[in-house]
């Protein structure tokens, strides 16, 4: 029996209501489309690549492992603000894989068939959306944003029927876990505090073990989870990523991006941008993502109330303290991110106003300039840059400016100003005694402006030339 993964399942130690054991149905003709070799190596996953057919069979779940116990998870969630019971409708967990460092990851097959939570769906996935999730999740990872990862995409050899006939597919997803806000909502809906506490304890052990000895552990979890989500949303906003369906079942306790549906990156800045065809009111638009994150965290806080205190009013007060701090924490996080993005080194009170002006200009550009004009502007910029680099080859100062070498710029400017000062000294020595006092006074004024940095190089050079011309006239040179 081969062991491609180092499975050691713990989620199935939770009460049975959290999952249903589910066998994986063998697909007719698995065919490997793409495999993430770097991810496999970094996570110590040992899937052979020398036999493509065997690899595809493994990644469709058609293999035996003594520690593999496949199951589908139950959870609930607010979808566009409406609460409903959900669950893995087309995903089956292969197991929890431990890498050599002992770090735990879920390995899940998406598009692997019907489960008890399919809700009249076929449990299958089409090739296009699975490839899209593979690409975007890996892009998000390499943009240094917490995310679930994609190990592989295979074709199943079966047809999937949506608006038209499509090729069936299975994506293998790697995640720190699949514990969602919706999982806690599902636990709370059971109205059994023992069930809720079992999930809470499991989450602490799996993701927040550093606070397990905290005196106020329930509030501490709410606070730590909020910080994870603020960090995640700030990073989404940094790169113009729009998730598209920020339902509570799509917010993980690990703080990872999950479920890449109608998501995309903005092509040009417009805070109202949304990509979900059913999001008619723009609930999950770019500008609303921080607000929805806070709303989702508040729903998570509601599930913790019975654990925070037996006195409901007291529990609400304690939770509200955390929830009300989120906007200010996000504002600080966003400002720090934007400062880095545009190069504001020192933190100043007026930074927020500067950034808002930049954003306002971006909105104006996005709404008043069409793509052809933007392309023309970019082409002109590129051409100008090429000319500047050509000029830089023969001019040390331009070269330093193009390379943004501030030390070299300062050195060259000092040399240039020194040359102007030396020229002034020569002028003083050449002026006759009758006119020296008058012109020397003007020279001293010019020198003072140069030393104080009140005048630029070109103006200083022009003024020095005028003084030289005046002296030449006195000597009858002109």
């Amino acid at each position: 029996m081969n062991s491609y993964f180092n499975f050691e399942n713990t989620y199935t130690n939770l009460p049975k209501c959290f999952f249903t054991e589910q066998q994986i149905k063998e697909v007719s003709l698995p065919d490997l489309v793409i495999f993430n070799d770097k991810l496999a190596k970094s996570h110590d996953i040992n899937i052979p690549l020398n036999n493509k057919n065997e690899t595809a069979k493994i990644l469709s779940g058609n293999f035996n492992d003594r520690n593999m116990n496949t199951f589908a998870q139950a959870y609930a969630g607010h979808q566009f603000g409406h609460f409903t019971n959900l669950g893995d409708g087309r995903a089956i967990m292969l197991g929890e894989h431990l890498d050599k460092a002992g770090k735990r990851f879920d390995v899940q097959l998406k598009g692997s068939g019907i489960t008890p939570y399919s809700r009249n769906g076929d449990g299958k996935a089409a090739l296009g959306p699975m490839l899209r999730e593979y690409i975007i999740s890996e892009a998000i990872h390499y943009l240094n944003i917490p995310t679930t990862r994609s190990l592989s995409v295979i074709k199943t050899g079966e047809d999937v029927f949506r608006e038209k006939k499509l090729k069936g597919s299975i994506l293998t997803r790697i995640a720190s876990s699949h514990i969602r806000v919706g999982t806690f909502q599902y636990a709370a809906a059971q109205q059994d505090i023992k069930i809720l506490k079992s999930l809470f304890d499991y989450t602490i052990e799996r993701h927040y073990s550093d606070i397990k000895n905290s005196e106020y552990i329930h509030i501490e979890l709410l606070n730590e989870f909020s910080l994870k989500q603020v960090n995640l949303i700030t990073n989404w906003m940094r790169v113009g990523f729009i998730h598209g369906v920020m339902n509570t079942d799509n917010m993980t306790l690990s703080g990872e991006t999950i479920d890449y549906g109608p998501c995309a990156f903005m092509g040009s800045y417009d805070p109202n941008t949304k990509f979900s065809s059913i999001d008619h009111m723009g609930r999950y638009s770019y500008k609303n993502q921080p607000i929805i994150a806070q709303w989702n965290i508040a729903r998570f806080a509601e599930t913790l109330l019975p654990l925070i205190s037996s006195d409901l009013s007291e529990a609400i007060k304690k939770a509200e303290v955390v929830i009300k701090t989120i906007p200010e924490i996000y504002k600080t996080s966003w400002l720090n991110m934007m400062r880095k993005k545009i190069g504001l080194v020192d933190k100043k009170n007026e930074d927020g106003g500067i950034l808002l002006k930049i954003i306002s200009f971006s909105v104006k550009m996005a709404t008043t300039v069409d793509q052809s004009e933007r392309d023309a502007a970019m082409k002109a910029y590129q051409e100008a840059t090429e000319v500047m680099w050509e000029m830089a080859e023969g001019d040390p100062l331009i070269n330093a400016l193009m390379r943004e070498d501030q030390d070299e710029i300062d050195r060259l400017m000092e040399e240039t100003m020194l040359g102007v000062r030396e020229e002034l000294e020569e002028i003083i020595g050449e002026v006759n005694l009758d006119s020296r006092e008058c012109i020397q006074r003007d020279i001293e004024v010019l020198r003072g402006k140069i030393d104080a940095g009140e005048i630029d190089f070109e103006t200083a050079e022009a003024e020095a030339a005028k003084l030289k011309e005046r002296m030449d006239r006195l000597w009858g040179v002109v």
Side-chain angles (χ1 to χ4, degrees):
M1 184 179 294
N2 292 313
S3 186
Y4 310 113
F5 300 93
N6 181 25
F7 285 140
E8 182 189 274
N9 292 345
T10 57
Y11 194 84
T12 49
N13 294 329
L14 287 169
K16 297 294 184 182
C17 63
F18 284 109
F19 63 92
T20 300
E21 292 185 358
Q22 182 73 36
Q23 293 297 314
I24 297 174
K25 182 181 177 182
E26 188 171 340
V27 300
S28 61
L29 193 62
D31 182 24
L32 182 65
V33 177
I34 189 168
F35 181 77
N36 195 334
D37 189 42
K38 286 185 178 180
L39 176 60
K41 289 179 179 177
S42 67
H43 287 58
D44 302 311
I45 295 170
N46 302 309
I47 295 178
L49 297 177
N50 55 341
N51 187 324
K52 186 178 178 181
N53 292 333
E54 182 65 19
T55 302
K57 186 177 179 181
I58 295 167
L59 294 169
S60 66
N62 298 329
F63 70 96
N64 293 315
D65 188 297
R66 62 182 178 275
N67 294 322
M68 188 167 71
N69 182 22
T70 56
F71 62 94
Q73 291 179 323
Y75 49 85
H78 277 89
Q79 298 196 318
F80 289 88
H82 303 286
F83 183 78
T84 184
N85 282 315
L86 301 163
D88 289 332
R90 58 171 180 172
I92 296 176
M93 195 77 66
L94 285 182
E96 298 162 28
H97 168 75
L98 293 176
D99 67 10
K100 291 179 181 178
K103 192 171 182 180
R104 187 178 301 272
F105 300 93
D106 283 357
V107 182
Q108 186 188 67
L109 300 184
K110 185 173 180 179
S112 51
I114 293 175
T115 76
Y117 315 109
S118 293
R119 303 180 302 282
N120 298 320
D122 60 11
K124 298 179 180 180
L127 178 60
M130 295 304 95
L131 284 172
R132 192 168 182 274
E133 175 160 343
Y134 183 104
I135 293 167
I136 297 180
S137 64
E138 286 303 288
I140 289 290
H141 169 72
Y142 284 103
L143 286 167
N144 201 28
I145 300 173
T147 181
T148 59
R149 304 280 303 276
S150 298
L151 179 64
S152 65
V153 175
I154 68 160
K155 291 186 290 185
T156 62
E158 301 169 358
D159 293 329
V160 174
F161 295 90
R162 298 295 182 256
E163 293 82 3
K164 59 182 180 180
K165 186 170 71 173
L166 301 169
K167 294 179 179 179
S169 178
I170 295 175
L171 176 138
T172 304
R173 179 160 63 192
I174 307 294
S176 294
S177 83
H178 286 80
I179 306 170
R180 312 161 188 257
V181 170
T183 313
F184 273 83
Q185 290 181 295
Y186 177 83
Q190 307 308 303
Q191 297 185 337
D192 185 335
I193 196 166
K194 291 181 179 179
I195 289 175
L196 178 60
K197 189 176 186 306
S198 68
L199 178 63
F200 178 89
D201 292 342
Y202 179 79
T203 302
I204 291 292
E205 192 63 38
R206 186 150 181 184
H207 292 300
Y208 298 90
S209 59
D210 54 328
I211 66 168
K212 64 181 178 181
N213 296 320
S214 173
E215 182 178 358
Y216 306 103
I217 189 169
H218 306 101
I219 289 296
E220 192 66 24
L221 173 62
L222 179 59
N223 184 63
E224 291 296 315
F225 173 67
S226 299
L227 294 177
K228 281 183 182 287
Q229 293 304 321
V230 166
N231 175 66
L232 181 64
I233 301 302
T234 301
N235 276 294
W236 286 0
M237 303 300 275
R238 169 173 62 89
V239 299
F241 176 74
I242 300 164
H243 184 277
V245 279
M246 286 180 65
N247 301 327
T248 56
D249 55 292
N250 290 335
M251 180 175 274
T252 64
L253 269 291
S254 65
E256 292 179 336
T257 309
I258 192 172
D259 282 348
Y260 292 86
C263 61
F265 297 88
M266 285 193 296
S268 58
Y269 187 85
D270 180 357
N272 294 310
T273 302
K274 58 184 179 67
F275 293 108
S276 174
S277 60
I278 61 174
D279 189 5
H280 303 298
M281 303 302 292
R283 176 183 175 88
Y284 299 141
S285 64
Y286 176 78
K287 70 177 182 183
N288 284 343
Q289 290 184 137
I291 300 168
I292 293 299
Q294 183 185 14
W295 192 90
N296 287 350
I297 295 168
R299 304 291 75 74
F300 175 62
E302 290 171 350
T303 71
L304 300 180
L305 294 179
L307 301 175
I308 294 172
S309 175
S310 58
D311 183 333
L312 182 59
S313 296
E314 182 67 20
I316 291 173
K317 287 180 182 178
K318 290 180 178 180
E320 282 183 340
V321 171
V322 177
I323 300 302
K324 288 179 179 179
T325 63
I326 292 173
E328 191 60 33
I329 293 172
Y330 172 74
K331 179 182 177 182
T332 300
S333 177
W334 182 86
L335 280 171
N336 289 336
M337 174 273 290
M338 288 297 291
R339 285 187 182 105
K340 291 180 180 179
K341 193 175 180 71
I342 68 171
L344 295 179
V345 179
D346 299 319
K347 295 181 181 180
K348 296 182 179 179
N349 293 333
E350 59 266 30
D351 288 352
I354 293 171
L355 293 168
L356 288 175
K357 288 180 180 178
I358 292 172
I359 289 172
S360 177
F361 176 75
S362 298
V363 173
K364 184 178 179 181
M365 285 292 291
T367 55
T368 61
V369 181
D370 64 25
Q371 188 62 44
S372 62
E373 289 176 300
R374 280 193 289 270
D375 291 344
M378 181 57 70
K379 182 179 180 181
Y381 169 77
Q382 292 170 343
E383 290 175 350
T385 301
E386 291 174 3
V387 171
M388 288 297 291
W389 275 116
E390 290 175 3
M391 294 173 62
E393 292 181 4
D395 190 313
L397 181 56
I398 294 178
N399 189 286
L401 287 167
M402 292 296 288
R403 291 185 288 105
E404 299 183 2
D405 186 342
Q406 192 59 50
D407 290 340
E408 182 68 3
I409 293 169
D410 292 342
R411 186 186 70 77
L412 291 169
M413 290 299 291
E414 179 62 29
E415 285 184 359
T416 303
M417 287 302 186
L418 181 61
V420 173
R421 293 191 194 99
E422 291 174 349
E423 186 175 349
L424 287 172
E425 296 296 342
E426 293 177 6
I427 291 172
I428 291 173
E430 295 174 358
V431 177
N432 63 32
L433 294 176
D434 293 334
S435 60
R436 177 185 291 246
E437 185 176 334
C438 177
I439 294 180
Q440 185 170 1
R441 183 182 65 248
D442 293 339
I443 290 172
E444 290 298 329
V445 170
L446 179 58
R447 178 190 290 141
K449 289 181 179 180
I450 293 171
D451 291 337
E454 297 176 355
I455 189 169
D456 60 28
F457 163 68
E458 291 183 358
T459 304
E461 190 175 47
E463 291 296 319
K466 289 179 181 178
L467 288 170
K468 181 70 165 61
E469 183 179 348
R470 284 170 62 190
M471 288 182 291
D472 287 341
R473 288 182 185 279
L474 288 170
W475 286 96
V477 175
V478 178

